[in-house]
Amino acid sequence: MKTQLKILSMLTFCLTGMSACSLLIDRDDIAYSDSDAVTNINATVETTPVLTSGDAADDPAIWIHPSDPNKSFVIGTNKKSGLGVYDLNGKQIQFLEGGLPNNIDIRQNVLLQNDSVDIGAFTDRQDNTVGWITISENGIEKFNQFPVKEEPYGFCLGYYANSVFAFVTYKTGLIEQYELTENDSLLSMSLKASFQFDSQLEGCVVDDERNRIFVGEEEHGIWVFEDIAESLDSPISIDQVGSANGIVADIEGLALYKADKPKLIASSQGNDSFAIYEATPPYAFVSRFRITGSDTVDGAQETDGIEVTHVPLEGFPNGMIVAQDGFNNDGKQNFKFAPLNIEKM
Ligand code: CA
Ligand code: CA
Ligand code: CA
Ligand code: CA
Ligand code: CA
């Protein structure tokens, strides 16, 4: 009731002619018509806001420290200026300036040039490349970049068949699979396979163990390719925008919760919610949730990229979800961290 009154008074204020009135509506006060069907979980940490205004923060990745999980950190793209690194309290501890990084993904303990390394990669829309970084407890460092077909958009990594694979998605509906190949000391990205969808793609995530990639077609739904070590064809539909499960365009970030029974999580951007599916056939819908606010941190709305981990971290005993927040209530965009207990959702 209190919330409804607050919104009503804001709307009245808007109707009296203030042009900036939309900015005054706290997105945390929105009442959703489907709230009975959706679980709320609370964000408990938010990151240092990005320095650039407007739609800027986009996609996160979570790096797990090899021996002290509480020294793990989150890397988040600022699609207008570079990559931010945030500790588990949300404090920015590094900013790697440069490029227009849109989506990012990482893999740890990858065998590369006879060394076990932690690496990440991101689509850079400044020069139409995939940029590559190394990751350690000291932070991130760029080590290479390779050109792709045209302006790249979504991105995810896979590590299977003893190789690192980079998947690039495009606004044209194209998805490409590149292999990171080694020739003596020289690395390169070679195109292995591609598939053409009907419309714009963005989010994707690979299940390395099961040789699958999940792909979001923004206005239409969620797909999976199986046996991707063999080829990239015959995508299977998991869910469609407008289905009874309640997902709404755009389908944005996708993330994989690793477990004996892994789960796929998808950002249903148009209704500020996240859908959970079984990540194994027949890819059944499980439930939806929202990331709402707590005493000190506002919730996540209009979320682009997400990432999840099952690794217990301080304050996140069953793992966590990191979600871009399109409307940070007290500043420019940022990322929200929320404890995730996926078995109970
Ligand atoms: Ca956005
Ligand atoms: Ca990502
Ligand atoms: Ca998008
Ligand atoms: Ca918010
Ligand atoms: Ca805030």
Side-chain angles (χ1 to χ4, degrees), residues 46 298 328-330 334 336:
E46 63 182 335
D298 59 304
N328 178 23
N329 68 343
D330 57 352
N334 63 3
K336 269 34 187 197

Side-chain angles (χ1 to χ4, degrees), residues 98-243:
L100 302 173
N102 196 48
N103 279 194
I104 185 166
D105 201 6
I106 72 172
R107 283 295 182 272
Q108 298 190 228
N109 303 312
V110 165
L111 193 64
L112 205 61
Q113 296 173 322
N114 299 316
D115 225 357
S116 177
V117 289
D118 293 353
I119 57 170
F122 57 91
T123 40
D124 188 340
R125 298 198 281 169
Q126 179 158 284
D127 51 9
N128 297 348
T129 58
V130 170
W132 292 80
I133 53 172
T134 53
I135 311 166
S136 72
E137 62 182 354
N138 300 318
I140 62 175
E141 199 176 339
K142 192 166 173 186
F143 72 90
N144 223 326
Q145 66 183 71
F146 301 107
V148 291
K149 188 171 191 282
E150 55 196 19
E151 182 194 14
Y153 198 47
F155 186 78
C156 54
L157 284 175
Y159 184 48
Y160 47 84
N162 299 313
S163 274
V164 175
F165 293 91
F167 291 85
V168 179
T169 65
Y170 296 88
K171 291 183 177 177
T172 58
L174 179 70
I175 178 170
E176 292 180 327
Q177 174 175 205
Y178 291 88
E179 183 175 3
L180 188 65
T181 51
E182 298 176 40
N183 217 328
D184 295 326
S185 62
L186 273 184
L187 288 174
S188 60
M189 265 172 57
S190 54
L191 185 63
K192 291 286 163 189
S194 63
F195 187 87
Q196 181 69 50
F197 284 88
D198 292 340
S199 68
Q200 181 162 320
L201 309 174
E202 186 170 357
C204 61
V205 64
V206 174
D207 183 342
D208 295 342
E209 279 180 44
R210 295 168 188 82
N211 278 207
R212 289 180 188 138
I213 183 170
F214 301 91
V215 180
E217 188 180 7
E218 288 191 342
E219 291 186 8
H220 292 283
I222 305 165
W223 301 87
V224 60
F225 291 92
E226 300 178 333
D227 303 320
I228 52 175
E230 304 297 320
S231 62
L232 198 62
D233 55 31
S234 310
I236 299 162
S237 171
I238 292 181
D239 202 357
Q240 291 180 351
V241 163
S243 80

